[in-house]
Structures are given as C-alpha cells and as structure tokens.
Amino acid sequence: MEIRDITINSREDISAFFHYLITDLNLNFHPDNSFYDYVNPDGTTTFTEEQTDHFEAILEGCFVYCHVEGEDIYEIGLEVFYKCLTAND
C-alpha cells in the first residue's frame, strides 16, 4: 500500500485525506477511530505500525486545523462520505 504524504493546511486538504482513506484504502473511516483499532476480517491489524503512526499524525493535524480555524471535522467527514456514496449515481 502506498502511503501518501499529506500535509493539512486547509479544509480541502482534510477532504482529500478523508477521500483517500474512504476510496483508495476502502476504509470505513470515522475521525474518532484510532488507526490502531482497524483490523482485517482475520483479526490481523490493517496497518503496520509505521502506517498507523503516519495516519494518526495526519489525523491529529486535521483536528488541530479544525480547532484553530473553527471548522467542524465531522461536517467535513460527512460531506466527503456523502460524495463518495453518491459518486456512482
């Protein structure tokens, strides 16, 4: 799996990160879930420790950006999730 190096400097960056997680990684993503908690059907962890640390750092950047800029991370997540769900309509 390719790990994208994503820097969070805008609402669009957060949307792009969430879109990547949902569409490219096929992840049932929610901002409150730790990447350490994702497991495969066979019980193995979905991500390596390096990948998990990388994604956790990006997600932390999303929360920081939203806090500083007065954005709602859950609203952004819902917008992205909705766009992903309706993309094939």
Side-chain angles (χ1 to χ4, degrees), residues 9-23:
N9 293 313
S10 68
R11 182 184 177 99
E12 291 75 23
D13 292 340
I14 296 170
S15 293
F17 177 53
F18 290 179
H19 187 270
Y20 163 71
L21 295 172
I22 294 167
T23 59

Side-chain angles (χ1 to χ4, degrees), residues 14-74:
I14 296 170
S15 293
F17 177 53
F18 290 179
H19 187 270
Y20 163 71
L21 295 172
I22 294 167
T23 59
D24 294 4
L25 300 185
N26 198 31
L27 195 64
N28 187 12
F29 170 72
H30 187 281
D32 288 344
N33 293 350
S34 170
F35 289 95
Y36 291 99
D37 295 337
Y38 288 98
V39 294
N40 300 317
D42 64 1
T44 59
T45 58
T46 302
F47 304 110
T48 66
E49 189 171 340
E50 177 186 0
Q51 292 166 332
T52 300
D53 290 344
H54 181 73
F55 292 141
E56 286 286 327
I58 296 171
L59 185 58
E60 178 63 22
C62 294
F63 274 101
V64 168
Y65 177 87
C66 286
H67 177 75
V68 169
E69 297 298 325
E71 294 280 358
D72 185 338
I73 196 166
Y74 306 105

